[in-house]
Amino acid sequence: MKPELSDMLRDAKSDAPSPRYSVDDFVAAGRKQQRKVRTMWVGTGAAAAVLAVAGAVAVPQLLPGGETTTPATQVAAPAAKPSAKPFTYPDGDFTANFAPYRVGDLSVSKAILVTPGYEVASITAPGRGQVFEDENGKQRDVGNQVAALTVFKPGAFDPSVVKKGEKTGDAYFTEGVGGDPKKGKPGNDGTYAWEYADDAWAVIKFHGGEELQAKELAAVAKGLKVGATAPVKIGFKLGYVPDGYELAAAGTTYNEMAIPLEGSSYALLLKGDLPFTGLKDNILDPYVVGDKQLPLLQLQVFPKWYAKYPAKDDKSWCESESLCYIAAPGGDYVLELSGGGMISDDELLKVLDNVTFAAANNQKTWFDATGATK
């Protein structure tokens, strides 16, 4: 059985490294159930405890070689084509416009996560990625993600941290350092950052164990172009939202460091104002402004083979405090809702009991994220 993130966090919370915050007002605080773990980048060390509210997603089981299934989302993007049109950030808080492309062995996806301050794409490479075992014992390889590309809205990013890296052309490069989890040795992510327009920055962040070089990342930067501009869509619509909660992030994955599973979609709602200016990194949980922890609703649809708990008669249920579920019609997908311990289970169940599902495997039926979460 696959361990759940909340289980792992309980085991690791005593010695988990401190997360890095993206807004100057953020403080080193947070609720115990809101420790972060980057589940898809095992072995990042100091950076390994930086996302997913406790219980927000099930943690995959790493397995030895065997039969694998690669989801359609990991099909290689077309090679980048020359274009005279530079990248410009889209209008609207939850609008995406990445054009998928490939540079050498690196493939850049369309946007997988969007916030009011930035949009994120996944960068994958050939080779074996993280492997999951489903309920039937079948192994599923979700793809070899080696980096993530974040493009910040003009004026949203403070480049002071990335400018500490080595100057290479018009960009700044910081080499990653690999860690050794078995020996308790932390690692550090590497970065490649450049100003794509006036006061507008893009940052490639890669696992310290990936020996990516400035030259190949410069080619990725050069390939960034505008694609089709469209609202971010998710595979569910909320019929009930508690007072004061507003959309803060949406896409096909819960975190910029995770490859989307087939049919997955995600939305984060916060109660309170979270600034998207002066950012020095992607905003990572816990969501603290000043000395105040913001209440949250974090929703994630994923395939049932990824779920730890079986559905219960097509009804909503809670497995533990502030961690509740409901199966989509047909039972092939599950919606998980985490309240972070700051909202009652009765309210969480009311949210789930008023959800309308689209067809998870047909994004043409999905809902605009902004309208689906009001």
Side-chain angles (χ1 to χ4, degrees):
M1 177 179 293
K2 296 184 289 295
E4 187 178 4
L5 181 55
S6 54
D7 300 334
M8 188 173 73
L9 291 177
R10 281 194 295 270
D11 295 337
K13 65 183 179 181
S14 62
D15 58 358
S18 300
R20 293 169 297 169
Y21 303 105
S22 306
V23 181
D24 290 340
D25 290 338
F26 280 22
V27 296
R31 303 175 66 88
K32 289 183 179 179
Q33 62 266 48
Q34 291 179 312
R35 298 276 188 161
K36 289 176 142 332
V37 173
R38 181 176 300 163
T39 60
M40 293 295 186
W41 281 18
V42 176
T44 307
V50 291
L51 201 103
V53 170
V57 293
V59 171
Q61 181 178 3
L62 292 176
L63 299 165
E67 180 184 2
T68 62
T69 299
T70 301
T73 56
Q74 298 310 310
V75 175
K81 297 180 180 180
S83 172
K85 188 176 182 181
F87 185 84
T88 55
Y89 202 85
D91 294 329
D93 285 345
F94 294 98
T95 303
N97 67 340
F98 281 151
Y101 61 100
R102 187 175 65 249
V103 176
D105 286 339
L106 300 179
S107 294
V108 182
S109 74
K110 63 182 181 180
I112 60 173
L113 185 73
V114 178
T115 77
Y118 53 84
E119 55 180 322
V120 183
S122 172
I123 301 177
T124 56
R128 185 177 178 82
Q130 187 154 14
V131 178
F132 297 72
E133 182 178 278
D134 67 18
E135 70 277 12
N136 297 317
K138 186 175 183 179
Q139 295 184 22
R140 298 170 181 262
D141 188 338
V142 300
N144 182 26
Q145 175 163 289
V146 296
L149 166 62
T150 301
V151 176
F152 291 89
K153 186 176 183 178
F157 186 70
D158 175 357
S160 59
V161 172
V162 295
K163 282 186 174 182
K164 294 178 181 179
E166 176 187 356
K167 188 75 161 60
T168 172
D170 293 329
Y172 297 87
F173 176 72
T174 302
E175 187 174 4
V177 178
D180 188 342
K182 293 182 179 180
K183 296 181 180 180
K185 180 182 177 182
N188 291 308
D189 291 338
T191 58
Y192 182 93
W194 72 100
E195 193 174 15
Y196 68 88
D198 290 342
D199 197 24
W201 287 78
V203 180
I204 297 172
K205 184 189 298 184
F206 58 95
H207 182 284
E210 302 292 343
E211 297 181 355
L212 298 178
Q213 302 301 315
K215 183 177 180 180
E216 59 187 323
L217 296 179
V220 174
K222 186 177 180 181
L224 178 63
K225 296 294 185 295
V226 172
T229 301
V232 177
K233 293 181 177 293
I234 56 177
F236 56 92
K237 182 177 182 180
L238 305 182
Y240 170 72
V241 177
D243 290 342
Y245 285 84
E246 296 183 356
L247 186 64
T252 52
T253 186
Y254 65 93
N255 154 10
E256 77 280 4
M257 297 303 178
I259 295 179
L261 301 175
E262 65 269 25
S264 65
S265 58
Y266 168 85
L268 169 70
L269 284 71
L270 295 175
K271 187 174 184 179
D273 294 329
L274 183 68
F276 282 89
T277 58
L279 303 178
K280 296 180 180 179
D281 196 354
N282 301 65
I283 292 180
L284 306 173
D285 173 44
Y287 302 97
V288 179
V289 178
D291 59 354
K292 182 179 180 181
Q293 173 76 51
L294 300 186
L296 61 84
L297 295 172
Q298 189 160 236
L299 303 105
Q300 172 92 33
V301 170
F302 47 77
K304 71 172 183 178
W305 57 259
Y306 187 68
K308 178 177 180 179
Y309 305 109
K312 298 183 178 180
D313 301 324
D314 296 327
K315 295 181 180 179
S316 60
W317 79 97
C318 296
E319 281 293 337
S320 60
E321 181 183 359
S322 211
L323 183 62
C324 303
Y325 300 86
I326 191 170
D332 291 334
Y333 290 86
V334 176
L335 173 59
E336 180 179 82
L337 171 58
S338 171
M342 303 184 72
I343 187 170
S344 72
D345 286 354
D346 286 342
E347 279 287 273
L348 298 182
L349 291 174
K350 186 174 180 180
V351 172
L352 292 177
D353 288 339
N354 287 276
V355 168
T356 300
F357 287 94
N361 58 359
N362 182 4
Q363 293 192 12
K364 293 181 179 179
T365 70
W366 288 18
F367 307 99
D368 288 357
T370 48
T373 54
K374 292 183 177 180

